[in-house]
Amino acid sequence: SQKIEQNSEALNIQEGKTATLTCNYTNYSPAYLQWYRQDPGRGPVFLLLIRENEKEKRKERLKVTFDTTLKQSLFHITASQPADSATYLCALDPRGNNRLAFGKGNQVVVIP
Amino acid sequence: DVKVTQSSRYLVKRTGEKVFLECVQDMDHENMFWYRQDPGLGLRLIYFSYDVKMKEKGDIPEGYSVSREKKERFSLILESASTNQTSMYLCASNAQFYEQYFGPGTRLTVT
């Protein structure tokens, strides 16, 4: 069956350190993968999109990698801040028809 | 600033009532989506519209219908609300194969 897996345990991290989140998928061959941030009681907000022919994408303190052989994406927040505390969702388009499938999200808590 | 708005942030309805959730986007996007989000289950697609009057079922369409009469507006209808439809409902829109823009969500409670 097709799956998108994110760690269900919250990641607690000290301010200033790098937070790394993992998104693993099975039985998909997506052309691109997206990462979203969601704060409690709010809608997700788009952060980054990485295509299958891109190994790495950066935006300010965020970095995403995409390994289509391992079927894995890593999401890094460098120099983390308490304001980065949120749930981060990965999403991909399994059939290339603009319909995203989302992981269940991974919560990050940045401790001052 | 791009915007997706939803008609209510919180809604309480009784079992059997007909419920309308409205979503409006100001980005001239072709595509609009309705999701529900439940703890432990994540975001699940209910319906998708790729053009005015066009719709496709998502993963969990049972008990729901949609309407898209104008490009900017996409409505989700619960024909006869049930307690298992208590959830957070999220609307989103996008241009083809690009990032989705989400509304703030409607937390619906059916009693």
Side-chain angles (χ1 to χ4, degrees):
Chain A
S1 65
Q2 297 170 320
K3 278 188 196 174
I4 304 169
E5 293 181 330
Q6 296 186 256
N7 197 337
S8 57
E9 282 190 32
L11 176 65
N12 295 312
I13 191 157
Q14 208 67 37
E15 183 175 3
K17 301 289 187 186
T18 296
T20 297
L21 306 180
T22 303
C23 176
N24 294 304
Y25 58 93
T26 57
N27 297 324
Y28 293 126
S29 295
Y32 58 91
L33 189 145
Q34 301 184 18
W35 283 89
Y36 290 79
R37 169 188 171 133
Q38 187 172 25
D39 292 290
R42 317 289 288 188
V45 174
F46 170 77
L47 296 174
L48 282 163
L49 181 154
I50 185 165
R51 302 188 188 281
E52 61 180 339
N53 60 350
E54 296 174 315
K55 294 296 181 191
E56 182 179 297
K57 203 85 171 273
R58 291 176 186 260
K59 178 183 173 183
E60 297 171 355
R61 294 183 295 108
L62 307 179
K63 184 178 89 171
V64 171
T65 63
F66 192 13
D67 189 324
T68 55
T69 303
L70 289 179
K71 294 189 180 292
Q72 181 180 81
S73 176
L74 298 180
F75 176 83
H76 307 272
I77 308 171
T78 58
S80 57
Q81 303 169 0
D84 296 326
S85 298
T87 295
Y88 293 86
L89 308 170
C90 72
L92 48 86
D93 184 352
R95 297 171 201 83
N97 59 1
N98 195 36
R99 291 167 56 156
L100 293 179
F102 284 84
K104 292 177 184 176
N106 195 177
Q107 186 183 9
V108 171
V109 178
V110 181
I111 302 160
Chain B
D1 201 16
V2 297
K3 250 206 164 89
V4 178
T5 56
Q6 294 184 228
S7 49
S8 307
R9 290 285 279 129
Y10 300 94
L11 209 52
V12 179
K13 295 291 181 180
R14 293 197 180 275
T15 303
E17 278 193 82
K18 191 168 185 175
V19 181
F20 292 87
L21 302 182
E22 301 241 301
C23 175
V24 177
Q25 51 97 1
D26 66 359
M27 295 163 280
D28 201 36
H29 284 160
E30 304 90 6
N31 308 297
M32 296 188 75
F33 308 82
W34 274 107
Y35 296 90
R36 65 178 282 177
Q37 187 173 32
D38 301 286
L41 295 176
L43 271 164
R44 293 180 291 167
L45 181 65
I46 305 171
Y47 265 99
F48 163 47
S49 170
Y50 53 92
D51 202 350
V52 175
K53 298 191 188 295
M54 307 304 287
K55 62 187 179 187
E56 282 187 10
K57 292 180 181 179
D59 301 315
I60 50 164
E62 298 78 19
Y64 303 95
S65 62
V66 290
S67 171
R68 193 163 179 205
E69 297 295 320
K70 293 185 177 182
K71 190 175 185 180
E72 68 270 18
R73 191 179 297 267
F74 191 32
S75 301
L76 180 70
I77 303 148
L78 287 65
E79 296 289 342
S80 177
S82 63
T83 54
N84 63 11
Q85 292 178 310
T86 291
S87 187
M88 169 71 108
Y89 289 88
L90 289 157
C91 174
S93 72
N94 78 344
Q96 195 75 354
F97 302 116
Y98 287 90
E99 65 271 22
Q100 292 190 12
Y101 291 87
F102 283 82
T106 296
R107 190 166 293 282
L108 173 68
T109 302
V110 183
T111 61

